Amino acid sequence: MPTKAYQCGSCYEVHEFYHEAESCCQPTIDEGWSCDVCADFHSEKEDAAKCCIGLVKTKAGETVQCPGCLRDQALMQLIAEIEVTGHCSECNPHYSSDEAFKIADLVDRRIEEHVEQQLG
């Protein structure tokens, strides 16, 4: 879930606490949200929730084994690839245009579900 963050208006360093950003360069402070995965700053909470969603792990402990390389995959993007094509991009990164669109659609649907849960 995205965490509240404060960005220094001069050097753009992101801080966890308002007073840290306030005392950083003594500028105006931009209030927003920080992505939990990469810590990038976003002005909107929904943007922070969507930032690295393809890199978000699925529900705790849920993995899918790739039939191609036998790796247990827990990332949303890789699981979608396995479900659509029968293999992940770590063992075979080649997909047809149709497969790529199906993977993207599936990931988009899961992103929306995930964001609704986060913001909901």
Side-chain angles (χ1 to χ4, degrees):
M1 184 162 161
T3 54
K4 189 73 170 173
Y6 303 93
Q7 186 176 43
C8 174
S10 290
C11 70
Y12 302 108
E13 183 176 344
V14 177
H15 300 274
E16 185 177 344
F17 300 104
Y18 185 90
H19 69 277
E20 290 175 354
E22 186 177 38
S23 63
C24 182
C25 296
Q26 298 294 326
T28 58
I29 296 170
D30 300 326
E31 189 172 323
W33 301 90
S34 181
C35 172
D36 287 341
V37 178
C38 69
D40 279 356
F41 185 81
H42 300 272
S43 57
E44 299 296 324
K45 186 176 183 181
E46 186 172 344
D47 292 340
K50 288 182 179 180
C51 182
C52 292
I53 200 73
L55 302 176
V56 171
K57 291 189 176 187
T58 56
K59 296 172 187 152
E62 181 182 338
T63 62
V64 173
Q65 188 177 52
C66 175
C69 63
L70 302 178
R71 292 182 181 116
D72 288 330
Q73 303 292 8
L75 299 181
M76 191 181 298
Q77 174 72 33
L78 296 174
I79 290 174
E81 292 169 358
I82 293 167
E83 290 175 5
V84 171
T85 67
H87 63 85
C88 69
S89 58
E90 290 185 5
C91 64
N92 182 358
H94 304 289
Y95 300 114
S96 69
S97 297
D98 186 47
E99 290 171 332
F101 282 117
K102 287 179 182 177
I103 291 166
D105 288 342
L106 181 57
V107 170
D108 287 344
R109 280 196 309 271
R110 291 188 177 156
I111 286 170
E112 289 304 316
E113 292 169 3
H114 183 78
V115 169
E116 286 176 13
Q117 289 174 353
Q118 294 261 321
L119 302 177

